[in-house]
Amino acid sequence: MRNFPIDPVTFIYGAIAVCGGVARYLRGYVDGAPFSIRIFFASAFVSGFGGWMFAVLGESISMPHALLFVMAGVGGLFSDQTMKFIFEYVQGKTQ
């Protein structure tokens, strides 16, 4: 088997998170917000990171594997709020 630089499951977390962010952006578009390709791609990138981080957090606290995919999608959908939650969670653990 080939060694991949990124674990395929971890890549899937990011892809699902990007889908969550795209869904949020398109929901805004349907609700009347103007479409901007730059904002679309920026939103997809930030959502991918936020959702991936949320799935990694879930993995670190031994959440069930199937729930990690849900966490990736929800984390992507709420990317900025997800990152705030992760920051507060980590901050609470270190104090």
Side-chain angles (χ1 to χ4, degrees):
M1 185 171 155
R2 260 181 94 189
N3 289 332
F4 290 102
I6 298 174
D7 176 37
V9 174
T10 304
F11 178 79
I12 293 170
Y13 294 153
I16 291 171
V18 167
C19 290
V22 167
R24 181 188 60 189
Y25 185 82
L26 293 178
R27 179 79 253 172
Y29 176 71
V30 167
D31 289 342
F35 185 82
S36 167
I37 196 72
R38 289 181 186 176
I39 302 297
F40 176 80
F41 283 118
S43 177
F45 180 79
V46 170
S47 296
F49 180 73
W52 177 76
M53 291 296 292
F54 200 45
V56 169
L57 174 66
E59 193 172 45
S60 73
I61 58 174
S62 301
M63 298 296 282
H65 190 67
L67 190 57
L68 297 177
F69 292 103
V70 174
M71 291 177 74
V74 171
L77 187 66
F78 299 110
S79 63
D80 55 333
Q81 293 94 349
T82 301
M83 293 306 296
K84 183 178 178 184
F85 172 79
I86 292 170
F87 178 74
E88 290 170 357
Y89 178 83
V90 170
Q91 197 175 34
K93 289 287 187 180
T94 60
Q95 292 180 352

